[in-house]
Amino acid sequence: MNVKSFYIVLIAVLSIHPIFSQEKDELKVTTEEVAVKKKGRKVHPYEPLAPARAAFYSAVLPGLGQAYTKKYWKIPIVYAALGTGIYLYIQNNKSYNRVRDIYKRRLAGFTDDEFYAPTNANGDPRISNDQLIDFQKRFRRQKELSLLLTVGGYLLNIVDANVTAHLMQYNVTEDLSFKPKINFNELDTQLNYGVSLNYSF
């Protein structure tokens, strides 16, 4: 009986010892973003949030995502596209408001607008009321289209930053490649055509 209790105490002590030792010895694992040099070039670590960060930056300020991905040459293109859309919207809005005001004045009985100058003996205006309505429709359609193009350019700016950040992390190496190959056969001086598959660790 005494031997049995000795073995039970021994097993209990041996099983408790690893539990206490695990509490004392904590394993701390830290990761560092280190650029690894592989065959003469740097391979940066994968950052899963980089595309989302680039898209967010471009949403906050157009062109900032392109600066984040170091594609600085795209920033003037982004601002040229957005600026053109905004400029066209403003011009079409001014033209629409001008023609609409002239049409309202004509309905009120005024004939002193720039488009009323008579062209024949009947005294008909150079541009009729129906033509003014058509002008309003055309300017409103162009105004809406320019607004749509501006919003499209803004969204394209965000998508471009996101896709560029994704592609920057895509590892394009010669470690795994599939390409055509031409060998010169020295025995019969003929060209041999084939395909080579390269895989290196």
Side-chain angles (χ1 to χ4, degrees):
M1 208 57 173
N2 206 358
V3 175
K4 273 187 178 181
S5 50
F6 174 73
Y7 285 126
I8 291 172
V9 171
L10 182 65
I11 290 172
V13 169
L14 291 176
S15 62
I16 292 174
H17 175 69
I19 294 172
F20 288 119
S21 65
Q22 285 179 1
E23 288 178 2
K24 292 177 184 175
D25 301 331
E26 293 180 6
L27 180 63
K28 294 183 179 179
V29 178
T30 58
T31 58
E32 295 181 11
E33 293 187 5
V34 178
V36 179
K37 283 194 173 182
K38 190 172 182 181
K39 292 186 180 177
R41 63 182 185 79
K42 285 185 178 180
V43 177
H44 294 282
Y46 179 72
E47 293 182 54
L49 294 179
R53 195 176 301 124
F56 176 73
Y57 289 162
S58 280
V60 171
L61 180 65
L64 192 58
Q66 283 73 16
Y68 174 72
T69 58
K70 295 181 175 56
K71 302 291 183 186
Y72 301 108
W73 62 272
K74 291 182 180 180
I75 297 173
I77 297 172
V78 168
Y79 280 104
L82 293 178
T84 302
I86 292 170
Y87 173 77
L88 290 174
Y89 177 82
I90 291 171
Q91 291 301 317
N92 287 315
N93 191 38
K94 283 182 184 176
S95 300
Y96 170 76
N97 289 334
R98 183 168 58 97
V99 173
R100 186 191 60 187
D101 292 344
I102 290 172
Y103 179 71
K104 285 181 178 179
R105 285 178 60 81
R106 283 217 191 152
L107 292 180
F110 293 99
T111 59
D112 58 348
D113 59 80
E114 57 186 299
F115 300 125
Y116 196 83
T119 57
N120 56 19
N122 296 337
D124 293 333
R126 183 165 50 96
I127 295 176
S128 66
N129 289 349
D130 292 336
Q131 288 174 318
L132 287 176
I133 292 172
D134 290 339
F135 285 159
Q136 288 181 64
K137 289 179 182 176
R138 186 181 78 185
F139 287 130
R140 185 174 61 223
R141 187 169 53 245
Q142 290 177 352
K143 178 175 74 167
E144 292 168 354
L145 181 62
S146 60
L147 180 63
L148 184 65
L149 290 175
T150 304
V151 172
Y154 173 74
L155 293 176
L156 190 62
N157 150 61
I158 296 171
V159 169
D160 173 67
N162 187 294
V163 170
T164 303
H166 268 293
L167 292 178
M168 284 177 63
Q169 299 191 66
Y170 185 71
N171 190 7
V172 181
T173 66
E174 295 294 325
D175 295 343
L176 178 62
S177 61
F178 185 75
K179 54 187 165 185
K181 191 171 185 179
I182 300 174
N183 286 334
F184 181 72
N185 191 345
E186 296 177 359
L187 296 175
D188 57 359
T189 65
Q190 296 291 324
L191 292 177
N192 295 330
Y193 302 99
V195 176
S196 70
L197 175 65
N198 299 327
Y199 181 74
S200 60
F201 295 98

